[in-house]
Amino acid sequence: MYRTGTAVLFLLLLFTEFAAAQGSSRLAPIPNVYLDCNSCDITFIRTNITFVNYVRDQEDASIYLRISDQRTAGGGREFTLEFSDIGVESPKTDTLRYVSSNNDTGDERRRGLNRYIKIGLIPYVTNTAAVESLDIFYEEPGETGLDEEVVEDPWNSWVFDVNVRSNISGEASEFNFGLYSGFEAERTTETWKIRSRFHGEIRRRNVDLSDRTLNVNRDWGSFWNMAAYSLSDHLSLGLFTGASFNRVNNIALSTYIAPSVEYNFFPYSEFQNRRFLVQYQITPNHRRYFNTTIFLKDSETIMSQEISTRLRYDQRWGRIDIRFSGRHYFHDTSINRIEINPTFNIRVMRGLSVSVSGRYRIINDQLSLQLPGDVDPDDPESIIRGVQRPTSYDYYFSFGLSYTFGSIYNNIVNPRF
């Protein structure tokens, strides 16, 4: 009888171990995550969220996490976290939004983002081996916790920013001094968006030539204001005003007021993933010049109209961003400017991505060019002064290839050196 009981106990223990092993074997391996974020502290994320593996290529991932961010009304940042399965028949997707206030430090912001990443990953790791090492902690809110969603705002959604900076540089025959200041104010609600900014700079450059010292003054200043009103999830109205001066561009004073309209073919709620904007603007503009222009003008009042479009997609396969604009003046349509700015960043295949960006401008509106008798743009002294040079076009082009191969994992963080 004793031997029979021992045998039964042994069989029960063996069955228990087998059942436990079977249960453990049913758990999927620790999942691989592909993290797509241009503004994140990737090293901090990989160091502090260790219950998943990070891989360099989407084809090796079972979870795709895309994080985008934009400025909020209060001057903080709103992060949109999009989680989705990769390589399954019925992929699930989830979206979380984390808002960091303008008073948060960089460390507070990245820790808050990490907390939301952990929360968002939970549904994707519950049936994997990672769940065996996870736990959940809950901090119960105090008396001023979740119940107080509505708070009094003495600033009525207004946010202000003031900044000043200076720089000094030089060498044996040259001295440079700059003093920059700026002021910004912003108010954003669901219906209104109001922004104002003033920027200006004093720029001095003293260059010792063989026969004299050349004193270069390149001061500039500008005021810009925008008020936009949302009519629907696709349509908005705006009013822009501004004033500026720029010694390099021969503009003593330029003031304008510009009503505009914007239509987004996609809902504004999808702005982070895709947008197709068309904007139209009409602008009366009064100008005074430091020196007489090539059009024999010391001052003038002119009116222009501009139409611009922007198409942008941010998807798993990369980013497409194409901007096009055209402007002309009513008093002479031959005075115009056309500009195109394409940017492509495409994932072609495993490990291989292509990036192309550029700009091309047809420039027929250099209204502030000085008379050749007043200044020679090809003279070395004029080049040092940064005098505006006549041109009918300019361009910029960049092309890049990136190919990555080797270990698929991207988990280890080594901060040495």
Side-chain angles (χ1 to χ4, degrees):
M1 188 71 178
Y2 174 77
R3 291 180 179 178
T4 303
T6 302
V8 171
L9 179 61
F10 175 78
L11 289 174
L12 285 173
L13 290 173
L14 185 64
F15 177 78
T16 302
E17 291 292 329
F18 177 77
Q22 287 294 102
S24 177
S25 66
R26 285 196 295 268
L27 291 175
I30 291 177
N32 294 339
V33 174
Y34 179 78
L35 180 59
D36 183 3
C37 182
N38 294 322
S39 59
C40 297
D41 188 339
I42 304 296
T43 299
F44 187 80
I45 294 173
R46 290 190 289 130
T47 302
N48 291 277
I49 303 178
T50 58
F51 58 86
V52 294
N53 290 320
Y54 299 94
V55 293
R56 295 182 295 97
D57 197 278
Q58 292 185 42
E59 292 188 8
D60 299 312
S62 55
I63 304 170
Y64 178 87
L65 170 56
R66 179 174 176 269
I67 303 176
S68 56
D69 67 294
Q70 61 181 341
R71 188 174 178 180
T72 66
R77 306 298 300 179
E78 180 190 72
F79 294 86
T80 302
L81 296 78
E82 300 172 79
F83 302 81
S84 58
D85 285 320
I86 296 180
V88 297
E89 291 185 1
S90 302
K92 62 176 177 288
T93 60
D94 295 298
T95 300
L96 293 177
R97 285 182 170 81
Y98 160 61
V99 178
S100 173
S101 76
N102 63 328
N103 294 320
D104 286 349
T105 64
D107 184 63
E108 290 173 329
R109 182 170 290 131
R110 67 182 184 175
R111 289 183 184 277
L113 179 61
N114 267 23
R115 188 169 70 86
Y116 272 73
I117 294 174
K118 292 176 186 178
I119 294 171
L121 285 173
I122 293 300
Y124 297 86
V125 301
T126 50
N127 294 319
T128 72
V131 76
E132 296 183 335
S133 301
L134 284 177
D135 203 345
I136 297 176
F137 301 92
Y138 174 70
E139 294 183 6
E140 187 170 348
E143 296 181 358
T144 58
L146 298 177
D147 293 333
E148 296 194 13
E149 290 290 335
V150 180
V151 295
E152 292 292 331
D153 181 6
W155 294 98
N156 193 25
S157 298
W158 281 100
V159 178
F160 303 92
D161 180 79
V162 180
N163 59 88
V164 179
R165 66 175 182 267
S166 63
N167 60 82
I168 297 175
S169 64
E171 55 182 74
S173 60
E174 182 174 331
F175 173 78
N176 296 278
F177 170 78
L179 177 62
Y180 171 89
S181 65
F183 172 81
E184 297 188 12
E186 178 177 354
R187 182 176 187 264
T188 304
T189 67
E190 293 294 331
T191 305
W192 285 96
K193 184 174 183 179
I194 303 172
R195 295 182 66 186
S196 297
R197 65 171 179 251
F198 169 79
H199 292 170
E201 187 173 19
I202 297 172
R203 298 177 63 185
R204 298 289 189 268
R205 183 183 182 190
N206 300 331
V207 183
D208 293 331
L209 305 178
S210 59
D211 58 341
R212 67 190 188 283
T213 297
L214 180 63
N215 299 313
V216 180
N217 180 341
R218 304 180 70 178
D219 299 348
W220 63 271
S222 69
F223 167 77
W224 175 86
N225 182 77
M226 180 269 289
Y229 180 77
S230 302
L231 292 175
S232 70
D233 201 24
H234 295 270
L235 183 63
S236 299
L237 298 178
L239 181 67
F240 295 83
T241 56
S244 65
F245 77 93
N246 190 311
R247 287 191 175 274
V248 171
N249 291 335
N250 191 34
I251 297 176
L253 177 65
S254 173
T255 58
Y256 68 89
I257 181 169
S260 61
V261 60
E262 176 183 271
Y263 186 81
N264 189 359
F265 287 89
F266 301 121
Y268 281 107
S269 57
E270 302 177 10
F271 195 80
Q272 290 295 322
N273 293 323
R274 58 178 184 168
R275 67 194 79 160
F276 182 21
L277 304 171
V278 177
Q279 298 175 340
Y280 174 78
Q281 183 171 296
I282 187 167
T283 308
N285 181 202
H286 177 72
R287 292 183 170 191
R288 286 194 295 107
Y289 304 107
F290 286 110
N291 300 295
T292 304
T293 70
I294 57 174
F295 296 96
L296 304 178
K297 299 289 186 179
D298 294 309
S299 66
E300 60 183 332
T301 300
I302 49 182
M303 183 176 291
S304 64
Q305 66 177 348
E306 179 176 356
I307 187 168
S308 61
T309 64
R310 183 175 189 180
L311 175 65
R312 175 166 170 170
Y313 280 89
D314 291 87
Q315 303 294 328
R316 287 188 188 177
W317 39 260
R319 174 184 298 166
I320 292 178
D321 190 358
I322 303 174
R323 288 173 288 178
F324 176 85
S325 64
R327 179 181 66 194
H328 77 86
Y329 290 85
F330 285 102
H331 70 282
D332 187 346
T333 56
S334 65
I335 303 176
N336 54 60
R337 177 175 298 214
I338 298 174
E339 179 174 348
I340 183 169
N341 299 75
T343 300
F344 304 92
N345 196 323
I346 307 298
R347 179 178 179 270
V348 179
M349 55 179 287
R350 178 188 178 89
L352 178 63
S353 61
V354 176
S355 61
V356 180
S357 63
R359 182 191 69 199
Y360 185 81
R361 297 189 297 184
I362 299 174
I363 302 172
N364 296 314
D365 62 348
Q366 291 183 290
L367 295 170
S368 60
L369 278 176
Q370 301 179 47
L371 275 175
D374 295 334
V375 62
D376 182 1
D378 296 322
D379 181 71
E381 183 174 319
S382 296
I383 295 175
I384 293 175
R385 292 183 181 277
V387 172
Q388 185 180 196
R389 299 165 63 86
T391 184
S392 59
Y393 68 92
D394 68 7
Y395 61 89
Y396 164 82
F397 178 77
S398 175
F399 175 79
L401 285 173
S402 174
Y403 182 66
T404 307
F405 57 94
S407 173
I408 68 172
Y409 296 105
N410 194 26
N411 293 324
I412 304 301
V413 176
N414 188 338
R416 296 166 183 81
F417 289 94

